Amino acid sequence: MEMFMTAMGNVFNPACLGLIWFGTMLGIVFGSIPGLSATMAVVLFLPLTFGMEPTMGLALLVGLYMGGISGGLISAILLKIPGTPSSISTVFDGGPMAEKGEAGRALGVGILASGVGSLLGIFALIFISPLLAKVCLLFGAADYFGVAVFSLTIIASLSGKDMLKGLLAGLFGIALSMVGMAPLDAEVRFTFGNYQLLSGFNITVLLIGVFAVTDIIQAGLDRRNLSKGMEKKKFHLKGYGLSVKEFIEQIPNFIISSIIGIAIGILPGIGGSTGGLMAYTAEKNRSKHPEKFGTGIIDGVIASEAANNAVIGGSMVPLLCMGIPGNTVAAIFLGGLTVHGISPGPLIFDKSGQYVYGIYLALIVSTIFMVIFERLGLPIFAKLLDIPKHILLPIIMIMCCVGAFSGNSRVFDVQCILMFGLVGLFFKIFKIPSTPLIIGFILGPMFEENLRRALQASHGNWSIFVTRPICCAFLIAAVIFCTLTVRKNLKDKQVAEAKGENFDTAEEEG
């Protein structure tokens, strides 16, 4: 209790609150600009915390982390460009909602879902972190391979009516992720003599190319419709865009998506993008109207944002209890803890309890700041919709180039966004879904690395994947999920054919 009171005194002094506010606001800016991210924000400001009192320095990093993850929804909804990789699935329904004139509602719902997901993730961190950390210790390389296989089954659900095209796109994404040096042995592959490809393709570059540059090229090819951007779009939003009745109906969505996000955050190396995609898929499969997903409904926005923000609390569980960072930002945060003399592990509550409680309180305060200030800034953000497309699109293209270049300071990455933009255009022309491409690229390294680690540990014995209970359970779940998805697609196809036959018969009788 004494440590908790000390933490409250440290966090709720004006200087610390000011740092949390500054970090949250700046994080929102970094998250909302395509190409920048929460990771970049935390990296840039980490050196500034070295001379601060530990609670104040960590509070600044917490604000940057929270604001950076949530800020990605702004460009995901308004521009259909995920501001951060965590916001990939927010584009699916947030973008169509903005196109239908519901940008304000999509943003309001997204912000509310971000706040709920963050709070649930924080409460999980506070109350069940020791138990979850022990479960996490049971996972080995084979088990993470099982998680990767199960996560890749998302491709089957998000492939639309043509599963073959979706699977091809997913395999293409996995192939792209294998460019460069192989994990474990650093064997060079698929570079074709180009040294720029030794480090492979950057996920930010791929996202910018497929989601942003593709749309810019497509808009340029359809120049006649650019004049539509001159029409002023109305912005309406009351509260956070949800009535009390709708909020109650969405409670299961909030809870289930947040639980998925927390679980994904606890498992090291997976990340918020996977959490958002898995929650989106789970909600789509649970829905009575799955065909509406992707057309612009709040269910998809809530699932994505609740999950990717819940990842924040989840990623802190293995970090604080075992010193294992759940994702890239958590790894940088680990550096901040080490600099301030805080050693993560089972004894952290005894040795540095006041700083742990300070992190908990800073997370809660930054969540409140994020929900309030993003809501107050919505009328300003929505003004982006009033900018004519022939002015907005060149500005976005410049931002995309800057964002691609800023990651590794390479002109090659700027060239890559154009290449991926053309790939995305090819996908659109031939009606190939681009989402499986992104999923394959994200999960490819996890799939390959843990497959090789498991086989090394078992000396090439493939039975390790069925003898380990956790891995076997995930593989069985993957088979069941794929089987159900295929059956559902075949059933839908039969229903559609039956309707077509009935329609033809009715025409003949008429």
Side-chain angles (χ1 to χ4, degrees):
M1 192 63 183
E2 184 181 344
M3 289 183 177
F4 179 73
M5 296 306 295
T6 303
M8 282 192 68
N10 291 337
V11 171
F12 288 101
N13 75 68
C16 191
L17 289 174
L19 283 172
I20 297 174
W21 171 83
F22 174 75
T24 306
M25 293 295 290
L26 199 64
I28 291 170
V29 172
F30 267 78
S32 62
I33 297 175
L36 304 184
S37 63
T39 305
M40 192 176 295
V42 175
V43 167
L44 289 175
F45 283 85
L46 180 61
L48 297 181
T49 68
F50 292 171
M52 296 180 183
E53 191 271 332
T55 300
M56 295 182 69
L58 295 173
L60 174 60
L61 297 180
V62 163
L64 289 165
Y65 189 8
M66 186 67 68
I69 296 298
S70 179
L73 70 90
I74 296 171
S75 58
I77 291 170
L78 295 179
L79 304 176
K80 294 180 70 176
I81 308 169
T84 63
S86 298
S87 303
I88 294 170
S89 46
T90 307
V91 175
F92 303 158
D93 281 289
M97 284 184 74
E99 290 175 349
K100 293 191 295 186
E102 297 181 340
R105 189 176 187 224
L107 288 166
V109 167
I111 293 168
L112 183 63
S114 296
V116 172
S118 297
L119 288 175
L120 291 176
I122 295 165
F123 291 145
L125 169 65
I126 295 171
F127 294 110
I128 58 175
S129 57
L131 175 63
L132 291 176
K134 289 178 182 178
V135 173
C136 189
L137 281 172
L138 300 174
F139 277 68
D143 304 318
Y144 281 113
F145 170 78
V147 172
V149 171
F150 178 73
S151 300
L152 283 169
T153 58
I154 297 172
I155 291 173
S157 179
L158 297 179
S159 295
K161 295 179 180 179
D162 197 333
M163 191 177 293
L164 178 61
K165 289 182 179 179
L167 292 173
L168 289 174
L171 289 172
F172 182 57
I174 294 173
L176 288 176
S177 73
M178 298 176 72
V179 173
M181 291 187 289
L184 306 184
D185 58 8
E187 182 72 25
V188 177
R189 62 212 181 160
F190 308 127
T191 61
F192 304 100
N194 187 342
Y195 74 94
Q196 298 278 15
L197 290 173
L198 288 174
S199 57
F201 296 110
N202 189 295
I203 178 61
T204 304
V205 172
L206 179 63
L207 289 175
I208 291 173
V210 172
F211 284 104
V213 177
T214 296
D215 287 346
I216 293 171
I217 295 173
Q218 196 172 26
L221 294 173
D222 190 19
R223 286 173 292 178
R224 292 180 181 178
N225 292 327
L226 284 180
S227 59
K228 292 182 180 179
M230 295 296 291
E231 301 171 4
K232 294 286 184 180
K233 298 180 179 63
K234 295 180 180 179
F235 173 81
H236 295 292
L237 179 62
K238 183 178 179 181
Y240 283 90
L242 276 177
S243 65
V244 175
K245 181 183 176 183
E246 287 175 322
F247 181 82
I248 294 172
E249 289 173 350
Q250 292 293 335
I251 286 176
N253 188 1
F254 281 114
I255 295 174
I256 293 170
S257 300
S258 298
I259 290 172
I260 291 172
I262 293 166
I264 292 298
I266 291 170
L267 299 174
I270 300 181
S273 53
T274 306
L277 287 165
M278 290 189 72
Y280 184 90
T281 306
E283 182 59 23
K284 181 180 178 182
N285 291 334
R286 197 178 67 85
S287 173
K288 295 179 181 178
H289 306 286
E291 71 281 354
K292 292 184 179 180
F293 279 74
T295 62
I297 58 173
I298 60 173
D299 306 56
V301 176
I302 290 172
S304 173
E305 287 303 314
N308 65 40
N309 280 269
V311 167
I312 297 173
S315 67
M316 290 288 183
V317 173
L319 175 67
L320 296 177
C321 296
M322 297 182 295
I324 301 172
N327 54 39
T328 308
V329 186
I332 301 165
F333 200 86
L334 175 61
L337 291 172
T338 306
V339 165
H340 289 290
I342 302 170
S343 300
L347 300 177
I348 191 172
F349 293 96
D350 296 327
K351 294 182 177 180
S352 308
Q354 69 271 29
Y355 300 127
V356 176
Y357 293 128
I359 292 171
Y360 292 166
L361 292 170
L363 283 165
I364 294 171
V365 172
S366 63
T367 299
I368 295 170
F369 282 168
M370 176 264 293
V371 172
I372 293 173
F373 292 125
E374 275 192 338
R375 175 61 183 87
L376 293 175
L378 283 189
I380 301 172
F381 300 143
K383 289 293 180 183
L384 287 171
L385 296 174
D386 292 338
I387 302 174
K389 282 188 177 180
H390 66 274
I391 296 174
L392 180 62
L393 292 179
I395 295 173
I396 294 173
M397 190 64 198
I398 293 171
M399 290 172 60
C400 289
C401 293
V402 171
F405 181 80
S406 63
N408 297 306
S409 301
R410 299 190 306 177
V411 177
F412 176 74
D413 287 337
V414 179
Q415 297 168 346
C416 283
I417 65 170
L418 177 60
M419 179 190 76
F420 287 128
L422 294 173
V423 169
L425 185 64
F426 174 84
F427 274 36
K428 284 199 171 185
I429 291 172
F430 290 95
K431 297 181 180 179
I432 302 173
S434 57
T435 307
L437 166 69
I438 304 299
I439 296 172
F441 186 84
I442 292 171
L443 296 175
M446 178 185 174
F447 176 89
E448 179 190 7
E449 184 175 346
N450 287 293
L451 171 64
R452 296 183 65 178
R453 285 185 187 277
L455 289 175
Q456 281 184 352
S458 64
H459 304 290
N461 188 349
W462 288 80
S463 65
I464 189 174
F465 299 113
V466 292
T467 54
R468 287 190 63 91
I470 296 175
C471 177
C472 187
F474 274 110
L475 292 178
I476 292 171
V479 172
I480 293 171
F481 184 84
C482 283
T483 303
L484 292 175
T485 303
V486 171
R487 283 184 61 186
K488 182 177 177 298
N489 286 349
L490 290 174
K491 186 177 179 181
D492 291 344
K493 187 176 180 181
Q494 289 173 357
V495 170
E497 288 176 353
K499 286 182 178 179
E501 289 174 3
N502 292 337
F503 180 76
D504 291 341
T505 305
E507 273 193 334
E508 288 174 6
E509 290 176 354

